[in-house]
Amino acid sequence: MRIGIVCYPTFGGSGVLATELGKALAQEGHAVHFITYQQPVRLTEFLPNLFYHEVQVPTYPLFDFPPYETALASTMVDVIRNHELDLLHVHYAIPHASAAYMAKQILQTEGKNIPVITTLHGTDITLVGRDKTYEPVVTFSINQSDAITAVSENLRQETLNHFRIEKPIHVIQNFVDTSRFRRKPIDAFRQVLAPKGEKILIHASNFRRIKRIPDVVRIFAGVRAAMPAKLLFIGDGPERSTAEELSRELGVFDCVRFVGKQDQIEDILSIADLFLLTSEYESFGLAALEAMAAGVPVISTNVGGLAEINLDGETGYACAVGDIESMSRHAIDLLKDPAQLERFRKAARIQAARFDIQHILPQYEALYRMVAPAAADQ
Ligand code: GMT
């Protein structure tokens, strides 16, 4: 099939998932066209049937806010016309679902029906989408989609609780490629970061408030008081300076490394002993799943879709939001017991395998066949 994928190109989970999906679809022989304003961060390899169309947003002195959504809808129309796309799969409702609706309407005047699938990822529903400023457009454009998916059962429920959705929401959970995300023998790298055999804890995110970054630092300070340990922060964002300040205040700054945004996160995860995810909410928690695939147990909160992936007492521990004491204690107990840590590692890997891309990709393909049966028959 010829598939258009619209996503945010940045380090957020929805963009990562959309890009990995597009790459996997292209490997299956579909022609995949990414439409967004910048090359997606994980779109690094060349495949003959993988295309990238950059949305240009011309500026004009009149515009305080250049109209990205209009430019995006126009680019969608252009790509659909010129490449005869069979369907459009948009990730993150705002503003992708409404731009897709606009593109669909324009093409309908030319007698072309382009099916639109909207995948809801999280904050488009739980935070931003619920804001009164956006809610009517979000509700309308989700309902106008030919199919709707949510990345976890929890997000499906959240959507139904807060929006008047008139269509079924299909749950297609996020996935990981376990052949890529796995434990790799890169001890030399570990040696550089933790030369004295210190335990390595990792947090990866976009450092937004919802991630409760100070909790990560406090948990680490608890661990550091009990044993030699290092904390690696992967990613960047608004709470980074808070993390730096707090780690100075708690006297652990020398043991904390900020490694910034990383493309090869699978290599870094390979040296980790524990992954920390302290969010106030996660619709899914893709970063935790990727860590588990690399055999890293997860200490997380037990909110949203996290409970669907991190099995408390088996693949890690899932605690109440803000319960720093329990999270530190679990981390210390696990790190002090190599046999138990090994059991958790294996369980994490087994659990991640349930979300392997091989199981999830066919679910998207089945949905594509449902919304565009004629194209699927070709
Ligand atoms: O807030 C983020 O972490 C980024 C955001 C996004 O849309 O880029 O992530 C959301 O989508 C991810 C992929 O489906 C999920 O794994 C994250 O849990 C979700 N974030 C939240 O719900 C806060």
Side-chain angles (χ1 to χ4, degrees):
M1 297 174 87
R2 292 177 296 256
I3 301 157
I5 292 188
V6 181
C7 64
Y8 281 102
T10 45
F11 273 89
S14 62
V16 165
L17 196 282
T19 310
E20 297 293 355
L21 175 63
K23 289 185 328 194
L25 288 164
Q27 260 146 12
E28 288 295 306
H30 300 282
V32 178
H33 295 256
F34 283 94
I35 305 170
T36 183
Y37 59 84
Q38 195 179 286
Q39 177 107 1
V41 283
R42 290 226 185 148
L43 191 61
T44 44
E45 62 252 62
F46 170 79
L47 282 173
N49 48 342
L50 203 52
F51 305 89
Y52 163 58
H53 307 269
E54 192 155 299
V55 180
Q56 302 290 339
V57 192
T59 52
Y60 185 68
L62 189 67
F63 298 154
D64 276 341
F65 305 100
Y68 176 65
E69 196 174 334
T70 305
L72 174 61
S74 292
T75 310
M76 285 173 178
V77 170
D78 208 41
V79 176
I80 293 164
R81 273 185 195 144
N82 292 331
H83 298 272
E84 298 179 5
L85 299 193
D86 299 313
L87 66 93
L88 207 51
H89 186 175
V90 304
H91 292 258
Y92 206 91
I94 309 167
H96 301 154
S98 46
Y101 170 73
M102 170 72 87
K104 189 180 170 87
Q105 292 304 305
I106 293 169
L107 290 160
Q108 227 145 45
T109 63
E110 301 168 7
K112 174 154 178 82
N113 176 39
I114 181 86
V116 172
I117 297 175
T118 299
T119 289
L120 309 173
H121 276 273
T123 46
D124 45 352
I125 293 304
T126 56
L127 220 61
V128 198
R130 245 178 249 175
D131 191 307
K132 275 196 171 54
T133 326
Y134 297 119
E135 187 277 325
V137 174
V138 173
T139 306
F140 176 80
S141 49
I142 291 175
N143 277 321
Q144 292 299 316
S145 307
D146 295 86
I148 310 161
T149 81
V151 299
S152 65
E153 182 50 45
N154 171 270
L155 185 61
R156 187 182 87 89
Q157 210 42 61
E158 284 288 319
T159 311
L160 294 175
N161 290 347
H162 293 96
F163 296 83
R164 291 170 71 93
I165 301 300
E166 296 150 1
K167 290 194 170 131
I169 301 177
H170 305 264
V171 175
I172 302 184
Q173 287 172 306
N174 284 339
F175 58 80
V176 63
D177 180 350
T178 57
S179 64
R180 208 174 97 215
F181 282 80
R182 63 195 158 79
R183 204 84 188 161
K184 294 177 189 165
I186 44 175
D187 279 352
F189 183 29
R190 191 183 169 109
Q191 195 61 29
V192 173
L193 287 160
K196 296 182 186 140
E198 298 95 328
K199 299 294 180 194
I200 298 180
L201 289 81
I202 286 190
H203 170 83
S205 77
N206 46 23
F207 288 58
R208 283 190 273 148
R209 274 186 100 89
I210 200 166
K211 306 289 174 185
R212 295 181 65 101
I213 299 291
D215 289 6
V216 175
V217 180
R218 289 186 199 282
I219 293 166
F220 176 70
V223 172
R224 182 65 196 85
M227 66 185 70
K230 291 280 171 85
L231 172 63
L232 291 194
F233 271 115
I234 304 174
D236 215 332
E239 290 287 281
R240 149 110 192 230
S241 53
T242 311
E244 283 189 33
E245 238 166 73
L246 186 60
S247 42
R248 272 197 202 94
E249 208 177 287
L250 298 177
V252 293
F253 186 71
D254 289 347
C255 304
V256 179
R257 284 280 290 268
F258 293 87
V259 297
K261 296 174 180 173
Q262 294 288 329
D263 293 340
Q264 296 298 321
I265 187 165
E266 62 268 38
D267 291 343
I268 305 179
L269 286 170
S270 273
I271 62 162
D273 293 299
L274 280 183
F275 187 85
L276 303 178
L277 193 60
T278 52
S279 312
E280 206 166 297
Y281 178 81
E282 286 292 341
S283 67
F284 185 87
L286 184 60
L289 181 66
E290 291 185 337
M292 285 160 64
V296 186
V298 172
I299 305 284
S300 73
T301 47
N302 56 9
V303 284
L306 273 174
E308 292 170 42
I309 56 169
N310 187 19
L311 308 177
D312 187 40
E314 204 180 310
T315 62
Y317 289 97
C319 306
V321 173
D323 188 354
I324 292 161
E325 201 190 314
S326 295
M327 289 189 258
S328 297
R329 185 171 34 81
H330 284 310
I332 294 164
D333 290 349
L334 207 47
L335 292 170
K336 278 193 168 163
D337 184 344
Q340 182 78 321
L341 187 62
E342 192 50 35
R343 275 193 290 279
F344 273 60
R345 270 191 198 298
K346 286 197 176 122
R349 178 88 187 144
I350 290 169
Q351 170 71 343
R354 296 189 183 113
F355 296 84
D356 188 77
I357 186 160
Q358 288 186 356
H359 306 309
I360 308 296
L361 189 65
Q363 298 179 34
Y364 278 116
E365 287 179 301
L367 194 66
Y368 295 169
R369 285 195 294 273
M370 191 185 94
V371 298
D377 288 346
Q378 283 167 15

